[in-house]
Amino acid sequence: MQNSQEVPPPVVVVGAGLAGLTAAKTLADAGIDVTVLEARDRVGGRTFTVTDGFADGQHGDLGGELITEDYRALTALCGDLGVELSAPVRIERPDLPEGASPAAGYLAEGRLIVDGEILTGNRFRQAETEIHTALASFPPAPHEVLEQWTRRAGLSDLARAALSGFGRMPTQYDAFQVDSHYLTHAHIGEIRRVVGGSQRLADALAATVNVRLEAPVRAIRQSGGTVAVELESGERFAAGHVVVAVSPFVLPTLGFDPPLPADLTGALTALQRASGGKVIAQYSEGDSVRAALSRAVFTDGPVNTAWVSNPYVTTGPAVVSGFVCGENRYVLEDEDLALAELDAVVATAIGGPVNRLAQHVKNWTADRYALGIGGMPSFAARRPQIAVLATPERRVHLAGDFTDVSLCATMEGAVRSGLRAAGEVLRAPARVSLDYIDRKLVRA
Amino acid sequence: MRTIVIGAGPAGLAAARSLAGRGEEVVVLEAQPYVGGRTRSDRERLLHGQPADLGGSFIDLGQDELLRTCAELGVALTPQLALLRADPDGRFSAASSLRNTTVVDGRRLPDADRDQVADEVRAALDACPPDPSELVPAWAARAGLSPLARRLFRALTGFNPVHDDSQIQMSMVEPPHVGKVCWMMADGTDAMARAMSEGLDVRLRHVVRAVRRTGREITVETDRGDFPARDVIVAVPVTPTLRIGFAPVLPAWKTEALLATPMAQGGKVIGQYADGAELFEKVGTGIMSDGPISLVWARPVGPEDSVVLLGLAADRGDGFLRGEESALAALDVIVSAVLGRPARRLAGIVKDWSLEPFAGGVVSSLLGDFPRLPSLLAQSVGPVHFAGEHTADMWATGMDGALRSGKRAADQVLSRRSTAAIAAHAKSPG
């Protein structure tokens, strides 16, 4: 016998990334009995900080690391949990006039590498002028992909190469996939990082809830007002609601009974995959690396973007994150090759040889619980697609960075989606049993 | 009035032949130094001039456009073959592929165990009918398959459609729509494209950068000069289409349809082996494996008792297809397991279509919003028309679909002509 006075039924959250952990914490704070099931042996999902091998207690982030001014939910969460954020760094050039495009902000002399050389002097000005003129004369359509725009605008090979790095940076898509919107309207502005690595936020969240590690889920079955979550081990958890907060590429591969609606599976399988990952290394030339790379260097090579991921550490060695995506993702399949590419970028940026102290390579495409860096619907199609991706399927609620309409595919999107999914669960009225209706509501 | 066709694969060549046959002036621009696109065959690297089909291989019963094109061009086929075996009740199901010779962990699975796996999958298909849109791994999990059956079932997508299973829906494998009765082209798949291109004005090594419309004129801009046209047929795969600039900009619905059509990633591992007759017999309808090579089948026995075996492998981000020797060694393991002793490889080729700049992958995966997507992809934008396996109304993602789409695009060009002619006639005095 059930009525609204009873204890709310337990909730299971699948996935201990930022989305799942935020949902779980929110539910736990509201007095709900929550269990988080995580397939990996760690929490954090695609936020993943490593420390082993790094000198001076430094660290590297193999997953999400940037926090922009828009990341209000994540910033508030860090405040609540006592997770310290670094001072801001500006990626775009500081002398940017009002109303200038993000592309203008990334076009800074000395920060673009083309063909293994830094663009300076006349070559830089030539590329800069050409890109500015093209943006003014051939404004990109909101849905036009970058590659199509560069061809329509008739950009030279030099200008295309100059765009190549920062064109891929915001989404980690190839130029034939990324909306030119990211060049014209999506300013990144100032960025912060979690001091000590993004994992600190995941760890702080996890400390507040009950997480079961190494518990991969096989199937989620709904019937009769309850949900059963079945692990690969065969163990089953019964819940009143389930929040599924896994990678968008893993979500449709879980068993759902009944199956997920066709439009949801369709939207998920049609999602462009950002494939690839990161190569990170710690260099002993700390000061020169910080001087050259704290605000990012963009290249036309396999490492599209490289920056110091701990610029708030001002002495000792420096850690550099390099991003590899799309057609270049193969570089990550060979650790030595990936590191050689990063070394070359850092050496070019600082103008001298580098000495690598520690290193890690993360290929998210080959990670079975990620199957890619992430993915977002195209800018023009985003709203109707997110409406499909974020709609609960009865008692199964979907969370994850890909379900947030404004900050899709970011750590903030993950946090907001967790808050949204928790809200869905909390607002759901307790089930009213037939017996209760008969006894209390029906006038005899 | 001239039409420019971009891409000399089967779709582009079918469009160009259709237009040329009706007296139209056509120029085909091809980025690569060869025709055929993803139906290319290599004749240099195997012994005895044996063709290695690097891309498309199979013709299925019912692919009548493809069969008729072969008949018309005198392209000979190999003897009939099958890639799956009927279930005990005579029906074909997604379990039928699992009745092939099977290699797991490098060892041949005893036939009785194999049949037990196939029977288990068949029983699960009956007891727990898949939703057509449900992904292959999701159904395998929901149906509660045993670990071995689940592993082998998920491997099916490695050859159909040569992709990691995380994007492939059950409608692709159940019921099986290919593999019951099929053929290959006896002289290699590109025999068709080569024959189709005869008599056509095909300009190789012309990379198209942009398609610009001003008034009624179109300029197709390549790295080797501009080509004027009245109509353009874009007959390249999804990814290369997204790399061409269009002025005016393509409408949002077209770009979104292209972006929602990811391409399957993977390729082929091809080995030529000694003891051809014996291997041909033992390979039978094909060898299933739990990966990374998911299916191996044989071409007819060639000269000096050699045989060419073809293996399909999906790209799982692990670098398998990038290591030529290790990929061929993985094929050797499968072949040796079936032969019962170390197989003697005479030559080998690995082809990774994901790395091919003018392909972008093996085939398009239309499953995101199937079946609405191909019709959107096929719509013309004024005088710019679209062909290719992803735009076909039937047998989409196959060679037959490519040919059909080319003919359809040619008709779209001609119907613009007749509409224009009707308009001109109506305007003319008297």
Side-chain angles (χ1 to χ4, degrees), chain B residues 23 41 77 82 85 98 157 178 199 216 236 247 263 266 337 362 400 411 422 428:
Chain B
S41 304
L77 307 184
R85 295 164 60 191
L98 302 173
T157 68
V178 289
R216 304 186 69 180
V236 297
M263 293 189 72
V362 183
D400 185 85
D411 280 348
I422 291 162
S428 65

PDB file of all heavy atoms in Angstrom, chain B residues 23 41 77 82 85 98 157 178 199 216 236 247 263 266 337 362 400 411 422 428:
ATOM      1  N   GLY B  23      22.158  12.548 -75.388  1.00  0.00           N
ATOM      2  CA  GLY B  23      22.675  13.638 -76.200  1.00  0.00           C
ATOM      3  C   GLY B  23      23.160  14.843 -75.431  1.00  0.00           C
ATOM      4  O   GLY B  23      23.433  15.891 -76.004  1.00  0.00           O
ATOM      5  N   SER B  41      39.449  -1.674 -57.473  1.00  0.00           N
ATOM      6  CA  SER B  41      40.174  -2.938 -57.306  1.00  0.00           C
ATOM      7  C   SER B  41      41.650  -2.676 -57.557  1.00  0.00           C
ATOM      8  O   SER B  41      41.998  -1.819 -58.353  1.00  0.00           O
ATOM      9  CB  SER B  41      39.680  -3.990 -58.311  1.00  0.00           C
ATOM     10  OG  SER B  41      38.290  -4.164 -58.186  1.00  0.00           O
ATOM     11  N   LEU B  77      30.286 -12.300 -63.935  1.00  0.00           N
ATOM     12  CA  LEU B  77      30.200 -12.526 -62.493  1.00  0.00           C
ATOM     13  C   LEU B  77      30.847 -13.849 -62.108  1.00  0.00           C
ATOM     14  O   LEU B  77      30.968 -14.762 -62.935  1.00  0.00           O
ATOM     15  CB  LEU B  77      28.732 -12.517 -62.049  1.00  0.00           C
ATOM     16  CG  LEU B  77      27.887 -11.309 -62.450  1.00  0.00           C
ATOM     17  CD1 LEU B  77      26.495 -11.418 -61.839  1.00  0.00           C
ATOM     18  CD2 LEU B  77      28.554 -10.012 -62.023  1.00  0.00           C
ATOM     19  N   ALA B  82      26.834 -17.709 -51.258  1.00  0.00           N
ATOM     20  CA  ALA B  82      25.961 -17.259 -50.179  1.00  0.00           C
ATOM     21  C   ALA B  82      26.853 -16.912 -49.005  1.00  0.00           C
ATOM     22  O   ALA B  82      27.948 -17.453 -48.854  1.00  0.00           O
ATOM     23  CB  ALA B  82      24.980 -18.349 -49.792  1.00  0.00           C
ATOM     24  N   ARG B  85      23.672 -19.152 -43.917  1.00  0.00           N
ATOM     25  CA  ARG B  85      22.992 -20.437 -44.071  1.00  0.00           C
ATOM     26  C   ARG B  85      21.669 -20.377 -43.331  1.00  0.00           C
ATOM     27  O   ARG B  85      21.575 -19.812 -42.246  1.00  0.00           O
ATOM     28  CB  ARG B  85      23.881 -21.560 -43.538  1.00  0.00           C
ATOM     29  CG  ARG B  85      25.148 -21.706 -44.376  1.00  0.00           C
ATOM     30  CD  ARG B  85      26.189 -22.515 -43.676  1.00  0.00           C
ATOM     31  NE  ARG B  85      25.711 -23.855 -43.396  1.00  0.00           N
ATOM     32  CZ  ARG B  85      26.337 -24.699 -42.602  1.00  0.00           C
ATOM     33  NH1 ARG B  85      27.438 -24.340 -41.991  1.00  0.00           N
ATOM     34  NH2 ARG B  85      25.842 -25.891 -42.393  1.00  0.00           N
ATOM     35  N   LEU B  98      25.544 -16.628 -38.257  1.00  0.00           N
ATOM     36  CA  LEU B  98      26.294 -17.308 -37.194  1.00  0.00           C
ATOM     37  C   LEU B  98      26.422 -18.804 -37.455  1.00  0.00           C
ATOM     38  O   LEU B  98      27.052 -19.518 -36.691  1.00  0.00           O
ATOM     39  CB  LEU B  98      25.617 -17.060 -35.835  1.00  0.00           C
ATOM     40  CG  LEU B  98      25.472 -15.585 -35.440  1.00  0.00           C
ATOM     41  CD1 LEU B  98      24.641 -15.453 -34.172  1.00  0.00           C
ATOM     42  CD2 LEU B  98      26.846 -14.955 -35.235  1.00  0.00           C
ATOM     43  N   THR B 157      27.997  -6.627 -37.092  1.00  0.00           N
ATOM     44  CA  THR B 157      28.044  -5.297 -37.710  1.00  0.00           C
ATOM     45  C   THR B 157      29.428  -4.994 -38.272  1.00  0.00           C
ATOM     46  O   THR B 157      29.585  -4.054 -39.035  1.00  0.00           O
ATOM     47  CB  THR B 157      27.678  -4.187 -36.711  1.00  0.00           C
ATOM     48  OG1 THR B 157      28.698  -4.094 -35.721  1.00  0.00           O
ATOM     49  CG2 THR B 157      26.339  -4.453 -36.057  1.00  0.00           C
ATOM     50  N   VAL B 178      20.732  -8.899 -47.220  1.00  0.00           N
ATOM     51  CA  VAL B 178      21.769  -9.243 -48.212  1.00  0.00           C
ATOM     52  C   VAL B 178      22.424 -10.550 -47.796  1.00  0.00           C
ATOM     53  O   VAL B 178      22.312 -10.976 -46.649  1.00  0.00           O
ATOM     54  CB  VAL B 178      22.868  -8.148 -48.306  1.00  0.00           C
ATOM     55  CG1 VAL B 178      22.338  -6.895 -48.975  1.00  0.00           C
ATOM     56  CG2 VAL B 178      23.431  -7.825 -46.938  1.00  0.00           C
ATOM     57  N   GLY B 199      34.165   6.120 -73.228  1.00  0.00           N
ATOM     58  CA  GLY B 199      33.433   7.054 -74.077  1.00  0.00           C
ATOM     59  C   GLY B 199      32.995   8.312 -73.347  1.00  0.00           C
ATOM     60  O   GLY B 199      32.479   9.232 -73.975  1.00  0.00           O
ATOM     61  N   ARG B 216      21.917  31.928 -64.199  1.00  0.00           N
ATOM     62  CA  ARG B 216      21.666  30.581 -64.697  1.00  0.00           C
ATOM     63  C   ARG B 216      22.953  29.813 -64.935  1.00  0.00           C
ATOM     64  O   ARG B 216      22.911  28.663 -65.366  1.00  0.00           O
ATOM     65  CB  ARG B 216      20.847  30.656 -65.993  1.00  0.00           C
ATOM     66  CG  ARG B 216      19.540  31.423 -65.797  1.00  0.00           C
ATOM     67  CD  ARG B 216      18.683  31.358 -67.021  1.00  0.00           C
ATOM     68  NE  ARG B 216      18.165  30.013 -67.226  1.00  0.00           N
ATOM     69  CZ  ARG B 216      17.366  29.676 -68.237  1.00  0.00           C
ATOM     70  NH1 ARG B 216      17.018  30.565 -69.118  1.00  0.00           N
ATOM     71  NH2 ARG B 216      16.923  28.446 -68.366  1.00  0.00           N
ATOM     72  N   VAL B 236      29.481  12.449 -54.883  1.00  0.00           N
ATOM     73  CA  VAL B 236      30.558  12.010 -53.993  1.00  0.00           C
ATOM     74  C   VAL B 236      29.933  11.631 -52.656  1.00  0.00           C
ATOM     75  O   VAL B 236      28.794  12.010 -52.376  1.00  0.00           O
ATOM     76  CB  VAL B 236      31.637  13.110 -53.823  1.00  0.00           C
ATOM     77  CG1 VAL B 236      32.300  13.419 -55.157  1.00  0.00           C
ATOM     78  CG2 VAL B 236      31.056  14.382 -53.221  1.00  0.00           C
ATOM     79  N   ALA B 247      28.050  28.238 -53.303  1.00  0.00           N
ATOM     80  CA  ALA B 247      27.565  29.621 -53.313  1.00  0.00           C
ATOM     81  C   ALA B 247      26.415  29.678 -54.326  1.00  0.00           C
ATOM     82  O   ALA B 247      26.639  29.362 -55.479  1.00  0.00           O
ATOM     83  CB  ALA B 247      28.672  30.576 -53.714  1.00  0.00           C
ATOM     84  N   MET B 263      29.414   8.280 -41.670  1.00  0.00           N
ATOM     85  CA  MET B 263      29.899   7.190 -42.519  1.00  0.00           C
ATOM     86  C   MET B 263      30.501   6.071 -41.675  1.00  0.00           C
ATOM     87  O   MET B 263      31.222   6.326 -40.712  1.00  0.00           O
ATOM     88  CB  MET B 263      30.912   7.719 -43.529  1.00  0.00           C
ATOM     89  CG  MET B 263      30.258   8.663 -44.538  1.00  0.00           C
ATOM     90  SD  MET B 263      31.343   9.119 -45.900  1.00  0.00           S
ATOM     91  CE  MET B 263      31.407   7.573 -46.837  1.00  0.00           C
ATOM     92  N   GLY B 266      35.974   1.808 -41.377  1.00  0.00           N
ATOM     93  CA  GLY B 266      36.614   0.507 -41.378  1.00  0.00           C
ATOM     94  C   GLY B 266      37.254   0.216 -42.719  1.00  0.00           C
ATOM     95  O   GLY B 266      37.510   1.132 -43.500  1.00  0.00           O
ATOM     96  N   ALA B 337      43.322 -21.256 -38.625  1.00  0.00           N
ATOM     97  CA  ALA B 337      42.410 -21.986 -37.730  1.00  0.00           C
ATOM     98  C   ALA B 337      41.450 -22.849 -38.543  1.00  0.00           C
ATOM     99  O   ALA B 337      41.093 -23.959 -38.137  1.00  0.00           O
ATOM    100  CB  ALA B 337      41.630 -21.001 -36.857  1.00  0.00           C
ATOM    101  N   VAL B 362      33.539   3.828 -45.202  1.00  0.00           N
ATOM    102  CA  VAL B 362      33.180   2.698 -46.062  1.00  0.00           C
ATOM    103  C   VAL B 362      31.894   3.019 -46.826  1.00  0.00           C
ATOM    104  O   VAL B 362      31.878   3.085 -48.049  1.00  0.00           O
ATOM    105  CB  VAL B 362      32.998   1.413 -45.226  1.00  0.00           C
ATOM    106  CG1 VAL B 362      32.707   0.223 -46.130  1.00  0.00           C
ATOM    107  CG2 VAL B 362      34.233   1.149 -44.390  1.00  0.00           C
ATOM    108  N   ASP B 400      24.126  -0.973 -56.082  1.00  0.00           N
ATOM    109  CA  ASP B 400      22.882  -0.872 -56.838  1.00  0.00           C
ATOM    110  C   ASP B 400      22.214   0.481 -56.573  1.00  0.00           C
ATOM    111  O   ASP B 400      21.756   1.157 -57.498  1.00  0.00           O
ATOM    112  CB  ASP B 400      21.945  -2.017 -56.438  1.00  0.00           C
ATOM    113  CG  ASP B 400      20.683  -2.022 -57.277  1.00  0.00           C
ATOM    114  OD1 ASP B 400      20.715  -2.599 -58.382  1.00  0.00           O
ATOM    115  OD2 ASP B 400      19.690  -1.412 -56.840  1.00  0.00           O
ATOM    116  N   ASP B 411      17.856  12.242 -64.543  1.00  0.00           N
ATOM    117  CA  ASP B 411      16.474  12.611 -64.864  1.00  0.00           C
ATOM    118  C   ASP B 411      16.117  13.978 -64.287  1.00  0.00           C
ATOM    119  O   ASP B 411      15.367  14.739 -64.907  1.00  0.00           O
ATOM    120  CB  ASP B 411      15.498  11.557 -64.323  1.00  0.00           C
ATOM    121  CG  ASP B 411      15.429  10.343 -65.233  1.00  0.00           C
ATOM    122  OD1 ASP B 411      15.957  10.418 -66.368  1.00  0.00           O
ATOM    123  OD2 ASP B 411      14.850   9.320 -64.814  1.00  0.00           O
ATOM    124  N   ILE B 422       9.419  24.246 -71.680  1.00  0.00           N
ATOM    125  CA  ILE B 422       7.985  24.557 -71.635  1.00  0.00           C
ATOM    126  C   ILE B 422       7.798  26.047 -71.354  1.00  0.00           C
ATOM    127  O   ILE B 422       7.013  26.729 -72.008  1.00  0.00           O
ATOM    128  CB  ILE B 422       7.281  23.702 -70.555  1.00  0.00           C
ATOM    129  CG1 ILE B 422       7.272  22.236 -70.991  1.00  0.00           C
ATOM    130  CG2 ILE B 422       5.841  24.194 -70.310  1.00  0.00           C
ATOM    131  CD1 ILE B 422       7.021  21.258 -69.883  1.00  0.00           C
ATOM    132  N   SER B 428       7.190  32.381 -75.953  1.00  0.00           N
ATOM    133  CA  SER B 428       7.450  32.767 -77.343  1.00  0.00           C
ATOM    134  C   SER B 428       6.167  33.256 -78.034  1.00  0.00           C
ATOM    135  O   SER B 428       5.105  32.666 -77.839  1.00  0.00           O
ATOM    136  CB  SER B 428       8.056  31.587 -78.116  1.00  0.00           C
ATOM    137  OG  SER B 428       7.097  30.551 -78.183  1.00  0.00           O
TER     138      SER B 428
END
